[in-house]
């Protein structure tokens, strides 16, 4: 099955490039609400499932033990831009468990936020693991280990107790088997598992509603999604799509992007979970797709739908900032 | 017509993302040699045709008047990384015509080479138009204007004598009409025109052989392609695919990438021109495609084909540099 073109990139009056993809929207009872393309095809969710991966941090009691509120939980679910607020908060989380950045095994990279990158260079600095977009998640991992009395060294590896906790949570929430055959290594060195796209839609419907979860898990899931919706900047960063999407209807939209063109999202008021994958892995394609899907699902709220529709039509600009084209969703997303 | 998947991106044992595209290979008599996908579909060539856009610089006599050799002509055909050698040479070209960076209308952006970007920031600097990847092309444009006695102000605009010269060259070489209906504005503010992909394959077969050109144009075309093959670093920059591809068989392979997943190339010894477009605009997809196409066309030279095949299988790495997957061409490129 060939997935349909969901996004067009124009220049002048010509379609210059296109992005294909698949979209799945589920309710928490396991009923598909909207399906586009092949939603059975296995997809690595990458960072789009960080909120599920953070369940052990809350369920283990570590988050409470260290006094983590919305800000820390949002950062634990984040792919952040390495701005000072992100870096400082990750460091503070580690300090609560008596650790520092040397405990992180995610690797270092320059901040993805360009201003933060240039400022770091101008100050004569160099990036460390705290600047890694995943440093909040990894800080949550090692805090969970310390609280549970588990040696944190090697926490990124398959088979380590931390990754077993994460895998158990992922399997329970998505209902899909996470095994060796469908595993890969994520950019931050932890295992990631390719399962059918629709599993993530169902999983986030459950995360948003708690339906089918034990009370403790339902509470932890809602606490994590609420934290992200309360602190969208900490989930992403300046100018990021996830921030704009969540700010379009504060407290009503949860979204999280993942590398290679993935989005997971939830609309608690409708009890819906959403997952999508841009076939070619392009972030720009997936951003237009999720904005268009959310605009459609929230179309009864005209003001919100208008904001989301604007995010689904970003401009293509020249180097002097002239608008020379745009991205737009195709009719398949109407 | 749906173009086939030409590149797969793997993680572990799973295909994570895919890139579709079209490829056209022509000889200079207008005979298609190898066609994949829809090669009639109009494509903006973007920077992949800078060698054709540089014809007026040579044909007008400006290049000779200013003493431009391989280095300057390579930079005039370049999408460079903004490294010091690129920036200094563009500045020197402008100085030959009594101008400086204030004559450039391409806009400024930070060097795409990360080390150059960080070094510029650490030195307290900021980017100017010389760092723009197109500054060599634009320097060639204004040098052409000054030599021809044309006011260079507004040289990026459709209708300016410089852009008319470029359009005339593009139409003559590709045989395709360049009009208002199929025009767009490129990132560096000059017009770009979407014409059938195959037109560029034919055009570069002509550029490489001079077949069908008047003697002066044939000489100028060979001089430009030879300059690029002699100075690949100046056409691109450190670690860039174009450099590795041209260095795989020095003097025998001309390649030039363009934004949104385009490649144009020529193999003078075989009298062939090549053009391809990755549907979704991804550079990584187009780089694997061109490497695989060149490996196939040069398969009789095992050593060269092996180098090109290696470039067609780049690794996907985690942040700590572990190999976690790879990109690979599909059987459609065999």
């Amino acid at each position: 099955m060939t997935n349909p073109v969901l996004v067009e990139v124009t220049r002048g009056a010509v379609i210059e490039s296109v992005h294909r993809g698949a979209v799945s929207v589920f309710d928490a009872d396991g009923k598909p609400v909207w399906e586009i393309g092949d939603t059975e095809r296995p997809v690595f969710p990458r960072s789009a499932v960080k909120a599920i991966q953070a369940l052990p941090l809350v369920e283990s009691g570590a988050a409470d033990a260290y006094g983590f509120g919305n800000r820390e939980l949002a950062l634990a679910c984040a792919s952040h831009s390495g701005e000072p607020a992100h870096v400082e908060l990750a460091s503070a989380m580690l300090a609560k468990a008596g650790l520092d950045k040397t405990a992180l095994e995610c690797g270092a990279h320059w901040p993805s936020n360009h201003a933060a990158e240039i400022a770091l260079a101008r100050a004569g600095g160099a990036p460390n693991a705290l600047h890694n977009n995943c440093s909040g998640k990894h800080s949550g991992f090692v805090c969970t280990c310390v609280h549970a009395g588990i040696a944190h060294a090697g926490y990124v590896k398959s088979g380590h107790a931390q990754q077993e906790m994460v895998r158990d949570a992922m399997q329970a929430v998505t209902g899909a088997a996470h095994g060796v055959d469908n595993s890969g290594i994520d950019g931050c060195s932890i295992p990631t598992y390719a399962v059918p796209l629709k599993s993530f839609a169902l999983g986030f419907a459950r995360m948003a509603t708690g339906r089918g979860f034990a009370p403790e898990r339902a509470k932890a899931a809602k606490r994590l999604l609420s934290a992200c919706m309360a602190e969208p900047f900490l989930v992403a960063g300046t100018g990021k799509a996830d921030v704009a999407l969540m700010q379009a209807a504060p407290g009503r939209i949860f979204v999280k992007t993942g590398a290679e063109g993935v989005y997971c999202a939830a609309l608690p008021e409708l009890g819906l979970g959403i997952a999508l994958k841009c076939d070619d892995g392009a972030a720009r394609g997936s951003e237009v797709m999720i904005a268009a899907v959310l605009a459609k699902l929230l179309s009864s709220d005209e003001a919100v739908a208008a904001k989301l529709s604007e995010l689904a039509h970003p401009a293509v600009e020249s180097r002097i900032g002239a608008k020379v084209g745009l991205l737009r969703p195709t009719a398949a997303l109407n």
Side-chain angles (χ1 to χ4, degrees), chain A:
Chain A
M1 177 175 186
T2 299
N3 288 331
V5 171
L6 299 183
V7 176
E8 294 169 341
V9 184
T10 73
R11 184 171 299 269
V14 179
I15 295 168
E16 181 165 28
S17 299
V18 295
H19 297 287
R20 294 172 181 273
V23 178
S24 181
V25 182
F26 263 68
D27 71 19
D29 295 323
K31 190 171 131 251
V33 172
W34 190 14
E35 299 265 271
I36 302 174
D38 184 356
T39 65
E40 298 281 358
R41 190 179 300 164
V43 164
F44 284 118
R46 310 291 301 276
S47 292
V49 292
K50 279 175 172 165
I52 304 175
Q53 294 172 326
L55 284 171
L57 171 64
V58 176
E59 294 174 348
S60 69
D64 284 335
Y66 298 126
F68 291 169
N70 280 345
R71 287 171 52 81
E72 291 82 1
L73 293 182
L75 198 72
C77 300
S79 295
H80 65 70
S81 306
E83 296 172 75
H86 303 118
V87 171
E88 288 157 19
L89 185 57
S91 183
M93 288 171 68
L94 289 166
K96 289 281 179 68
L99 298 171
D100 64 17
K101 66 189 178 212
T102 60
L104 299 178
E105 302 179 11
C106 49
H109 64 80
W110 286 86
S112 67
N113 177 267
H114 193 255
E117 179 190 34
I118 296 303
L120 182 60
R122 287 208 169 122
N128 59 52
L130 293 170
H131 297 93
N132 186 307
N133 73 89
C134 301
S135 70
K137 175 176 77 173
H138 283 249
S139 296
F141 285 166
V142 295
C143 285
T144 304
C145 290
V146 172
H147 176 71
I150 301 165
H152 60 78
Y155 73 87
V156 294
K157 291 205 165 60
S158 177
H160 185 283
Q162 174 62 42
Q163 293 312 321
E164 288 300 297
M165 283 188 265
V166 168
R167 192 167 70 110
D168 288 348
M170 286 296 306
Q171 290 191 131
V173 171
T174 64
H178 286 49
V180 172
D181 289 352
N182 59 343
S183 73
I185 306 295
D186 211 329
C188 67
S189 296
I190 73 164
T192 179
Y193 301 85
V195 302
L197 182 66
K198 62 198 308 178
S199 318
F200 303 115
L202 171 59
F204 274 93
R206 289 172 171 162
M207 289 287 286
T209 61
R211 196 97 47 93
F213 286 172
E216 277 306 300
R217 172 150 291 175
K219 201 174 142 195
K222 284 190 187 180
R223 188 170 159 193
L224 286 161
L225 297 198
S226 297
C228 293
M229 292 189 283
E231 298 287 351
F233 171 79
L234 292 173
V235 178
T238 303
K240 291 292 217 175
D242 286 17
V243 179
L245 290 162
M246 288 198 271
Q247 286 180 339
R252 297 170 57 195
I253 298 173
F254 166 82
V255 297
K256 181 67 191 72
T257 188
E260 294 290 334
V262 177
Y263 257 99
C264 288
L267 294 171
E269 69 197 63
L270 299 177
L272 298 178
I274 303 153
L276 65 83
K277 161 86 179 172
C278 176
D279 286 359
D280 57 73
R284 69 176 185 181
S286 67
E287 288 167 6
V288 169
M289 291 175 200
I290 190 66
V293 167
L294 292 170
K296 170 82 172 173
L297 294 172
L298 293 172
S299 58
S300 64
D301 186 329
E302 283 182 30
V304 169
K307 281 187 213 169
L308 293 165
S309 179
E310 192 180 330
L311 295 172
H313 293 80
V316 173
E317 295 186 351
S318 73
R319 296 292 187 178
I320 60 167
K323 182 176 173 178
V324 297
L326 83 166
L327 281 77
R328 65 187 180 203
T330 64
L333 286 168
N334 282 345

